[in-house]
Amino acid sequence: MQTVLVTGAAGGIGTRLRKLLDGAYPNIVWSDIRRPSDLAGHQNFVQADIGELAAVEKLCAGVDGIVHLGGESVEQSWERILRANIVGCYNLFEAARRNKVQRVVFASSNHAVGFYPRQRKIGTGEPVRPDSRYGVSKAFGEALGALYAHKHGLRVTCIRIGNFADTPVDERRLAIWIGPEDLTQLIRIGLDHPDLRYEIFFGASNNARAWWDNEAAFRYGYRPTGVAENFAAQAMTAQKTLPPDPIGDWYQGGPFCSDEYDSGFDPSAT
Ligand code: 15L
């Protein structure tokens, strides 16, 4: 990898990556719809709207690998999800193909499978169960990645990011937390591993309470260093301050599941 493009450079993950990935590749192009306020002087930034195919095509010229963090990062109206996460994601993969980019690491989310109950342990081979329009857009991105990998030979890694933070902040996050260094490790596997063609990984640290089997990531050498249980006492204290959420507390996706929920089904039957 000579030149790596990172979209979503002004977001929460992008902001941390600008420090953690700095110097890892000879040339890193940072992009976002808005300029980050804390951009370092030596960092190469290109402002672009991923909703515009021509702009994304220009952005991908001369690029070897892409880390696609751009788009909406939580639930939003259909119009916003459509433009940033559906059209924007298509533009990204199509521009990558046209520019002969070798690899894409796609920031998927745990919300692609949020409607699995917490009592069920899942691997990345289970069918998607999105918990929101946002989750659907992440499942779409994973499917699009598979198309471009198998049809056009792009090497694609989808990381279903749990909760990216310095520490897990509540009970649910003890199961799905990923520390910044561990996410950086997964991204680098996606950019560098020679055997990779198309894979889905769970973006989780070493979490004893995990609902996920991350065997695929371990096969590629992922060795998480963050240990969620080290923060269990503070996370469980914080949990006590949260209001009860019978639907959200049953499912892996938490409040993304209970938001707008009007199903007549008994959640404990699923
Ligand atoms: C996500 O996908 C979001 O990007 C993040 O803001 C958190 O809400 C996280 O999921 C989570 O599930 O905690």
Side-chain angles (χ1 to χ4, degrees), residues 33-261:
I33 198 163
R34 62 193 164 95
R35 191 180 179 85
S37 54
D38 60 343
L39 202 65
H42 67 281
Q43 288 178 327
N44 179 8
F45 177 78
V46 180
Q47 201 156 357
D49 176 359
I50 54 169
E52 303 290 340
L53 178 58
V56 190
E57 201 172 342
K58 217 167 131 198
L59 197 58
C60 291
V63 165
D64 302 305
I66 302 173
V67 182
H68 182 42
L69 306 171
E72 301 290 351
S73 63
V74 289
E75 181 65 315
Q76 294 292 356
S77 68
W78 172 240
E79 289 69 26
R80 284 180 64 163
I81 293 287
L82 178 64
R83 180 171 173 86
N85 291 22
I86 304 285
V87 175
C89 191
Y90 171 78
N91 289 347
L92 192 285
F93 276 102
E94 179 56 17
R97 183 191 71 79
R98 292 185 191 179
N99 280 285
K100 300 194 172 22
V101 174
Q102 297 160 39
R103 291 175 185 248
V104 172
V105 178
F106 170 61
S108 183
S109 166
N110 70 92
H111 297 291
V113 288
F115 263 123
Y116 281 100
R118 297 185 185 191
Q119 61 185 18
R120 187 151 151 203
K121 191 159 187 163
I122 57 167
T124 50
E126 301 274 359
V128 292
R129 279 197 194 180
D131 58 21
S132 47
R133 293 174 288 278
Y134 166 68
V136 169
S137 76
K138 294 302 182 179
F140 170 81
E142 291 181 359
L144 198 63
L147 171 69
Y148 278 81
H150 295 115
K151 184 162 277 195
H152 303 299
L154 208 63
R155 292 175 191 265
V156 177
T157 307
C158 303
I159 307 176
R160 286 182 183 163
I161 302 172
N163 185 246
F164 175 89
D166 285 321
T167 59
V169 293
D170 57 24
E171 187 173 12
R172 177 172 164 267
R173 270 50 174 266
L174 284 171
I176 69 164
W177 170 66
I178 184 162
E181 286 78 14
D182 286 341
L183 183 61
T184 307
Q185 193 190 140
L186 281 174
I187 288 172
R188 297 213 56 186
I189 290 171
L191 287 173
D192 299 332
H193 199 290
D195 304 333
L196 209 145
R197 182 168 175 182
Y198 176 82
E199 291 294 341
I200 300 175
F201 299 151
F202 283 113
S205 284
N206 181 354
N207 303 344
R209 305 178 195 216
W211 306 308
W212 306 328
D213 173 1
N214 214 2
E215 183 273 332
F218 300 144
R219 232 182 321 118
Y220 284 88
Y222 177 52
R223 299 289 175 266
T225 58
V227 179
E229 282 311 293
N230 290 348
F231 307 99
Q234 68 194 58
M236 293 310 281
T237 303
Q239 179 67 34
K240 290 198 189 95
T241 66
L242 299 175
D245 178 2
I247 301 300
D249 292 344
W250 181 259
Y251 290 114
Q252 297 185 5
F256 284 64
C257 297
S258 44
D259 181 37
E260 301 178 30
Y261 188 90

Side-chain angles (χ1 to χ4, degrees), residues 5-52:
L5 165 70
V6 184
T7 67
I13 298 179
T15 297
R16 294 302 290 272
L17 268 194
R18 275 186 280 118
K19 295 193 172 67
L20 288 163
L21 219 53
D22 202 28
Y25 299 95
N27 183 24
I28 305 185
V29 181
W30 301 94
S31 181
D32 205 297
I33 198 163
R34 62 193 164 95
R35 191 180 179 85
S37 54
D38 60 343
L39 202 65
H42 67 281
Q43 288 178 327
N44 179 8
F45 177 78
V46 180
Q47 201 156 357
D49 176 359
I50 54 169
E52 303 290 340

